[in-house]
Amino acid sequence: MATATSPNYHSSILIVGAGTWGCSTALHLARRGHKDITVLDAYDLPSPISAGNDINKIVEQGSFNSNPDDDSAFVSQQLLHLASQGWTSDPVFMPYYHDTGYIICAHTPEGLEQLIKREMLDQQADIEWLDTPEAFRAAMPKGVLTGDFPGWKGGFKRTGAGWVFARGALNAAFIEAERLGVKFITGTEGNVTKLIAEGGDIIGVLTADGTTHLAETTILAAGAQASALLDMKDQLRPTAWTLAHIKMTAEECELYTNLPVLFNIESGFFMEPDAENHELKICDEHPGYCNWVTTPSGTKSSVPFAKHQVPLEAETRVRDFLRDTMPQLSERPFSFARICWCADTPDRNFLIDRHPEFKSLVLAVGGSGHGFMHITSVGGYVADVLEGKLDVRLKKAFRWRPETAIGRDWSDVQGRRGGPNRVMDFQEVKEWTKIEER
């Protein structure tokens, strides 16, 4: 373990960002007894731009780091263990986890080879192999899966995986943190526009209403927006994905209850309709979109933006996925769509560390496409950094590491597949959907 220091539970802490990681951090710090915690966000809770403000997310098994060394294996297993422990035993999060099972598959030889290697499907006794249309259709109630599943093959894990009601879990973390004394400031008063540097350190933040907020520790948990507040030395690439909803009837929702997640790593995924709005969420799988602009200094930067529409090419991919799996739904109009931002590190490990120059600044960024699953536990890692007791192997994996971003290949797909099998650019998108916004 790293050398621990005795925490001052009355020292002031500012958390910039009230999304998945900001709320998790606030909750964990409050549970440990920290008394002076303020969370700032430009939006009311749950934040409409947070990737966690969604109807559902996959809770999946597997390693996100392909390096074979022991430290890497420890990090992957520790992340998986603590996240799973939270979903199955933490009363704040337990109500939102649905252990319905998980079908993960591919439909090209290259995709299948990658899938088997990543998920170790050939080494797990609890994985049932699916390789015919009939086998896929039989995995769910009759009438749900009616497609031909052309070339689809994969594994079915009936327990120990599934989905979570993401918005409910995010909101529960916020409510419990607030109950424990955390102060949340949102809207213009919580919109952080600048980190305040003084004497070689960060002493607080400035918000859009002109207010200065000072604290002994500032935690930057601003997700894809973090680079707008701090020079991240190219360690973050804001990357977006696309999703759409379709309305379901009450009868369809009943049929689609307690379904396993179906995830094709080359075309998309879906899980059962949400209970609030009776909508089925479908995501088209691809390596992501960036929004590349040239800054005044001449550097290249991916700049996040909010939009409740998706490119028409994403709509086409969603409908292609539905034709392969549920053709009875493939022409149904979208009731909702959005782009959803995350921030990729070069190696897809999290970035949770004290800044090397600004010792009072703690970074909690770099979800890299798998951050929400860890809402139950990621705040604990941030608290460990603040208290100086993060396990040395996690500290190495999560460290500030600009050396890994020197000459960074911004087009790196980072092991992701789907669509054109390349990172796309919103600047090249010509047409978007025209769904009536809520």
Side-chain angles (χ1 to χ4, degrees):
M1 299 288 286
T3 302
T5 57
S6 180
N8 177 0
Y9 293 109
H10 294 279
S11 66
S12 54
I13 301 170
L14 279 178
I15 301 174
V16 180
T20 301
W21 284 21
C23 285
S24 178
T25 298
L27 175 60
H28 278 267
L29 287 171
R31 282 177 163 177
R32 292 192 187 188
H34 291 271
K35 304 298 184 184
D36 189 356
I37 306 167
T38 301
V39 184
L40 301 167
D41 199 286
Y43 297 93
D44 291 334
L45 279 293
S47 170
I49 65 168
S50 170
N53 188 3
D54 198 356
I55 60 174
N56 43 38
K57 297 283 188 185
I58 299 173
V59 173
E60 58 180 311
Q61 307 263 347
S63 168
F64 296 98
N65 189 323
S66 58
N67 297 323
D69 60 272
D70 290 342
D71 283 357
S72 172
F74 169 82
V75 170
S76 295
Q77 291 306 313
Q78 185 75 352
L79 285 170
L80 178 60
H81 170 70
L82 289 182
S84 300
Q85 187 178 67
W87 289 117
T88 56
S89 63
D90 189 324
V92 169
F93 299 107
M94 285 171 59
Y96 305 102
Y97 173 53
H98 300 262
D99 186 358
T100 57
Y102 179 59
I103 301 169
I104 187 163
C105 47
H107 63 266
T108 70
E110 298 81 9
L112 193 60
E113 180 182 2
Q114 178 178 326
L115 172 67
I116 292 173
K117 180 179 179 180
R118 189 185 82 179
E119 300 290 327
M120 298 180 289
L121 296 183
D122 55 344
Q123 301 176 36
Q124 298 189 46
D126 59 347
I127 295 291
E128 176 184 340
W129 188 249
L130 307 179
D131 59 3
T132 67
E134 293 77 14
F136 277 96
R137 293 184 202 125
M140 297 190 190
K142 185 177 181 180
V144 174
L145 300 179
T146 62
D148 292 333
F149 295 88
W152 287 43
K153 296 179 181 180
F156 185 2
K157 182 180 176 67
R158 292 185 178 270
T159 60
W163 63 276
V164 296
F165 174 34
R167 186 182 303 120
L170 176 60
N171 203 46
F174 153 61
I175 290 171
E176 179 64 7
E178 190 173 52
R179 187 188 71 81
L180 293 173
V182 176
K183 181 180 180 182
F184 287 82
I185 302 175
T186 60
T188 302
E189 296 175 347
N191 183 11
V192 175
T193 58
K194 181 181 179 181
L195 302 180
I196 301 173
E198 183 179 293
D201 204 353
I202 298 299
I203 62 169
V205 304
L206 180 70
T207 49
D209 65 343
T211 302
T212 296
H213 300 263
L214 302 180
E216 292 166 83
T217 300
T218 300
I219 300 173
L220 184 59
Q225 301 287 350
S227 297
L229 295 170
L230 179 72
D231 182 1
M232 297 300 303
K233 306 296 184 184
D234 290 342
Q235 292 173 93
L236 297 185
R237 182 186 68 185
T239 311
W241 284 269
T242 43
L243 63 88
H245 297 182
I246 57 177
K247 277 286 187 184
M248 306 289 280
T249 66
E251 292 76 19
E252 287 171 331
C253 286
E254 185 176 351
L255 178 64
Y256 279 61
T257 299
N258 295 323
L259 300 183
V261 175
L262 176 63
F263 180 21
N264 184 313
I265 66 168
E266 301 181 278
S267 62
F269 62 87
F270 86 96
M271 55 206 86
E272 67 183 70
D274 74 298
E276 292 181 338
N277 296 312
H278 292 179
E279 291 183 332
L280 185 74
K281 169 185 150 183
I282 311 101
C283 292
D284 55 314
E285 187 67 10
H286 50 73
Y289 284 90
C290 290
N291 182 41
W292 293 116
V293 299
T294 302
T295 66
S297 64
T299 60
K300 183 179 178 181
S301 179
S302 178
V303 179
F305 63 96
K307 196 174 184 71
H308 284 179
Q309 304 290 342
V310 295
L312 284 186
E313 62 198 29
E315 178 178 4
T316 298
R317 290 191 293 265
V318 168
R319 297 197 183 283
D320 286 345
F321 172 81
L322 289 171
R323 289 186 189 96
D324 286 347
T325 58
M326 299 171 287
Q328 71 274 20
L329 303 178
S330 63
E331 300 304 320
R332 193 168 295 189
F334 291 170
S335 56
F336 177 77
R338 69 177 284 208
I339 58 176
C340 177
W341 288 92
C342 195
D344 289 326
T345 62
D347 56 9
R348 293 189 69 190
N349 274 328
F350 299 156
L351 204 175
I352 304 173
D353 197 5
R354 284 193 182 271
H355 194 279
E357 297 176 19
F358 307 125
K359 297 301 183 181
S360 298
L361 178 65
V362 173
L363 305 169
V365 294
S368 302
H370 58 105
F372 185 84
M373 175 179 168
H374 302 279
I375 187 175
T376 63
S377 52
V378 71
Y381 305 129
V382 183
D384 282 348
V385 167
L386 189 146
E387 296 175 356
K389 59 182 184 182
L390 185 67
D391 182 279
V392 292
R393 290 163 292 186
L394 296 176
K395 185 176 176 63
K396 178 184 176 183
F398 298 165
R399 74 191 186 281
W400 174 266
R401 49 192 187 281
E403 72 280 1
T404 65
I406 295 173
R408 183 171 182 176
D409 178 7
W410 295 110
S411 65
D412 183 7
V413 299
Q414 297 193 307
R416 301 179 177 111
R417 303 184 64 85
N421 286 321
R422 62 177 176 84
V423 177
M424 296 165 282
D425 186 356
F426 281 129
Q427 295 291 328
E428 298 174 358
V429 172
K430 304 301 183 185
E431 294 183 280
W432 295 75
T433 55
K434 296 178 180 179
I435 303 163
E436 183 177 350
E437 296 195 24
R438 296 171 178 173

